Amino acid sequence: MSKPDLTTTKLDDAARAGWLYYVAGNTQDEIAAKLGISRQSAQRMVSLAVSEGLVKVRLDHPIAHCLDLAAQLRQRFDLKMAEVVPTDPGSTSTTLGVADAAAAEMTRWLKSETPIILGIGTGRTLKAAIELLSPIECPQHKVVSLTGNIAPDGSAAFYNVIFNIADKIKARSFPMPLPVIASSPEERELLHSQAMIRPVLELSAQANVAFLGIGDLEDDAPLFIDGFISRDELVALRKAGAVCEIVGRAFDRDGVPIKGLTNDRVASAHIPSRDTAMVIAIAKGAKKLPGIEAALKGNLINGLITDEHTAETLLAA
């Protein structure tokens, strides 16, 4: 069967079977009878609906232990919001669960009738979250990138998500047409002085809510792997005490920005103030733990979406 046939016919049937199973609550035998097919065909159609991403499942039941951990995080670290998702002991994914929770939190903000400015960082976790967003019509809102979106070779930075979110929601989006890290402090100042850049920087400072990823600075640090800094620069940051980066800036274990080095050349906007905005970090896992701790100690964030194991480790410290 050709690809067009698969798209127009099989996927339509799979979507119908998926709706009957997950929304209408039919059994596979009932689906088979209603669609005039065998039970085996009904089972295959439901499976196809899931594998093709036609079905998005959200568990709508709070898990007591996760709720308790979230309450402890809010109290311990003076957070305005915290959400803790279950941990899958067999998974090595850094996005599983937290991406779904972040998508749900973004949706909650975007459904507000009151106009807001939503700041968005970058990274794999945020990209995964935005891929889970359902299309939303919200022309009253503005979405602004907090990071440059140009890679060192001049291409669009792969994990800069402003373009992904612009495809999902109908709101005005404001990319930051800058490199993540400029070639010199002088170049950064020159770029920031441009007439088309100043309004974006000003808008980012006015964000009502910001969603941030936290990057580690291990040997496979995203900043290094994606070509924004060299191996020597990565080593120098670590020697200076850096444990993480947020919107391209390196921070030490207390959440204090590293002086000099690549931080002098970061072209991204500053993290919005937690005094005026809800600043939500989305991160989990051992590699992200030093960065999460730094963000909490430095009062860089007032919201956190993480998983059970990471929450337990944070609270045990």
Side-chain angles (χ1 to χ4, degrees):
M1 180 172 285
S2 67
K3 186 67 176 177
D5 286 338
L6 174 64
T7 332
T8 57
T9 305
K10 271 201 169 181
L11 291 186
D12 281 355
D13 291 342
R16 185 179 298 276
W19 187 91
L20 288 169
Y21 188 75
Y22 288 103
V23 180
N26 286 255
T27 66
Q28 291 177 359
D29 285 327
E30 289 171 330
I31 294 170
K34 289 179 180 181
L35 299 183
I37 56 178
S38 68
R39 185 183 185 282
Q40 289 76 15
S41 294
Q43 184 178 22
R44 284 195 296 270
M45 283 185 184
V46 172
S47 297
L48 180 62
V50 174
S51 65
E52 291 296 319
L54 308 181
V55 175
K56 292 183 172 69
V57 178
R58 274 193 185 138
L59 185 65
D60 193 20
H61 179 77
I63 296 173
H65 185 52
C66 291
L67 289 176
D68 181 55
L69 289 171
Q72 290 184 59
L73 287 173
R74 286 194 296 272
Q75 182 175 13
R76 171 87 169 268
F77 299 107
D78 190 26
L79 299 175
K80 290 184 179 178
M81 75 82 64
E83 182 161 357
V84 177
V85 302
T87 296
D88 179 354
S91 174
T92 58
S93 171
T94 59
T95 66
L96 182 66
V98 292
D100 298 79
E105 183 65 14
M106 285 182 199
T107 300
R108 188 179 71 80
W109 281 88
L110 291 168
K111 284 186 174 180
S112 167
E113 293 184 2
T114 303
I116 64 165
I117 299 170
L118 186 149
I120 196 81
T122 188
R124 290 149 177 81
T125 305
L126 278 173
K127 188 171 189 291
I130 287 163
E131 287 173 351
L132 293 169
L133 281 177
S134 297
I136 307 172
E137 295 274 352
C138 48
Q140 71 274 28
H141 301 323
K142 296 177 181 178
V143 181
V144 59
S145 178
L146 300 177
T147 63
N149 50 49
I150 301 175
D153 63 359
S155 63
F158 186 71
Y159 289 105
N160 188 286
V161 298
I162 188 70
F163 302 113
N164 302 78
I165 199 168
D167 287 340
K168 285 294 185 90
I169 68 171
K170 302 302 181 188
R172 291 187 67 192
S173 59
F174 296 80
M176 192 170 289
L178 296 173
V180 176
I181 298 177
S183 61
S184 68
E186 293 75 22
E187 182 186 62
R188 183 190 69 174
E189 293 306 312
L190 179 63
L191 290 168
H192 281 189
S193 69
Q194 300 303 304
M196 66 179 296
I197 302 301
R198 287 198 306 272
V200 181
L201 291 170
E202 291 167 3
L203 195 65
S204 68
Q206 299 167 24
N208 302 101
V209 60
F211 291 88
L212 307 174
I214 295 179
D216 67 86
L217 290 177
E218 296 191 5
D219 288 344
D220 57 350
L223 271 184
F224 169 65
I225 294 297
D226 296 340
F228 297 115
I229 63 174
S230 67
R231 171 67 69 183
D232 288 344
E233 288 170 331
L234 174 62
V235 171
L237 286 171
R238 292 200 302 225
K239 283 183 177 179
V243 299
C244 71
E245 60 86 10
I246 304 173
V247 295
R249 285 183 181 81
F251 294 86
D252 68 15
R253 61 186 300 172
D254 294 317
V256 177
I258 298 298
K259 292 183 179 180
L261 302 176
T262 57
N263 274 4
D264 281 347
R265 299 186 279 117
V266 173
S268 304
H270 287 282
I271 300 170
S273 170
R274 57 172 277 161
D275 294 331
T276 57
M278 176 65 76
V279 185
I280 303 171
I282 304 104
K284 70 168 189 172
K287 289 176 68 173
K288 301 292 183 79
L289 192 60
I292 300 171
E293 290 177 323
L296 292 168
K297 288 179 182 177
N299 291 320
L300 303 177
I301 61 174
N302 53 13
L304 177 63
I305 297 174
T306 191
D307 73 336
E308 278 180 292
H309 182 69
T310 307
E312 289 168 347
T313 307
L314 288 169
L315 292 166

